Amino acid sequence: MYVGTLDLIGDHVGTVAALAARHVQFARLSRTVDLTDRDGAAAVTALVAVRELTAFGIAVDWTLRLPEPGTGTPDDWQPLSHLHPPTAVIRDGAGGLGGSGDDIVVRWRDSFHAAKCGYRRGPGFIEIRDRRSGSFKRLVIRTHQHDELFRALLRGLPETGVPSSVIARYLPPGLIHRAGRFLWWTPYRIRRWPLSTTIP
């Protein structure tokens, strides 16, 4: 059943929560998420929407454009591999470093599962569980000093608004991701913890 078209301007985190409350099960992004765009604002808005849709278990039809081979890392899609797999990946100069777009889509679909990289919040801390690399990693972040920054990163913000110490700590492990001149928080909130918190 078609429920309409939404513009992802403003509070897109709240917009996706409203869709979930209406029991929406499928969404489509009409524009390609372009990681070659030097600005990055549109890409981050779309990626945040995909993250939130994934968190609610809503399937997403979306297309991703990656930088050409050689300008990123061999698996530059891995920091996003916890998101619902894209329908298509566009990569000019297919093959070589990182593989073709079709290869990436197959690998992404094959490796995707629920709660692959997510977080839960408690009083003054965030617990992150990350399986994107194939091995389990757990991190607990004390948030007393950075609570407002965390809320801003959930929606994405210009890199100039993020302390260099935060970038140095959370960009390498992929907990924040850079698109153009913007940064955004990659793990999604796990609303139903799939296993006991004592099990890795």
Side-chain angles (χ1 to χ4, degrees), residues 109-149:
R109 286 178 183 163
D110 289 347
S111 66
F112 177 74
H113 58 81
K116 189 173 184 180
C117 180
Y119 73 92
R120 65 174 183 153
R121 294 196 70 176
F125 75 90
I126 300 172
E127 178 189 1
I128 300 158
R129 293 182 172 218
D130 188 356
R131 294 176 175 83
R132 289 173 295 179
S133 66
S135 61
F136 173 71
K137 296 176 185 174
R138 178 178 175 270
L139 177 67
V140 176
I141 301 172
R142 304 298 172 189
T143 59
H144 297 292
Q145 297 179 346
H146 298 296
D147 214 36
E148 289 184 21
L149 178 61

Side-chain angles (χ1 to χ4, degrees), residues 95-118:
L97 187 69
S100 69
D102 290 342
D103 293 337
I104 292 170
V105 169
V106 170
R107 291 165 62 196
W108 198 322
R109 286 178 183 163
D110 289 347
S111 66
F112 177 74
H113 58 81
K116 189 173 184 180
C117 180

Side-chain angles (χ1 to χ4, degrees):
M1 184 172 69
Y2 181 69
V3 298
T5 301
L6 294 174
D7 194 338
L8 293 175
I9 294 177
D11 181 15
H12 35 287
V13 174
T15 298
V16 173
L19 289 177
R22 295 172 64 185
H23 307 292
V24 169
Q25 297 179 3
F26 175 79
R28 176 180 292 121
L29 299 187
S30 59
R31 296 182 181 176
T32 297
V33 179
D34 188 357
L35 292 184
T36 67
D37 177 18
R38 292 184 179 180
D39 178 66
V44 165
T45 296
L47 287 168
V48 167
V50 174
R51 182 197 67 205
E52 293 301 303
L53 290 163
T54 304
F56 281 103
I58 300 173
V60 194
D61 179 354
W62 65 296
T63 301
L64 175 66
R65 179 183 294 276
L66 289 173
E68 293 183 15
T71 60
T73 60
D75 288 326
D76 52 4
W77 59 276
Q78 284 286 350
L80 308 176
S81 64
H82 62 302
L83 304 178
H84 191 279
T87 306
V89 171
I90 302 167
R91 169 167 262 170
D92 298 331
L97 187 69
S100 69
D102 290 342
D103 293 337
I104 292 170
V105 169
V106 170
R107 291 165 62 196
W108 198 322
R109 286 178 183 163
D110 289 347
S111 66
F112 177 74
H113 58 81
K116 189 173 184 180
C117 180
Y119 73 92
R120 65 174 183 153
R121 294 196 70 176
F125 75 90
I126 300 172
E127 178 189 1
I128 300 158
R129 293 182 172 218
D130 188 356
R131 294 176 175 83
R132 289 173 295 179
S133 66
S135 61
F136 173 71
K137 296 176 185 174
R138 178 178 175 270
L139 177 67
V140 176
I141 301 172
R142 304 298 172 189
T143 59
H144 297 292
Q145 297 179 346
H146 298 296
D147 214 36
E148 289 184 21
L149 178 61
F150 171 74
R151 284 195 292 269
L153 281 168
L154 279 175
R155 288 163 171 76
L157 74 161
E159 184 172 348
T160 54
V162 183
S164 58
S165 60
V166 172
I167 296 173
R169 183 170 182 187
Y170 300 120
L171 186 64
L175 299 181
I176 56 175
H177 179 262
R178 179 184 286 118
R181 61 185 187 87
F182 282 78
L183 296 170
W184 63 287
W185 180 256
T186 56
Y188 46 76
R189 181 181 171 195
I190 299 177
R191 288 167 170 80
R192 291 187 179 93
W193 212 252
L195 297 170
S196 165
T197 56
T198 61
I199 300 174

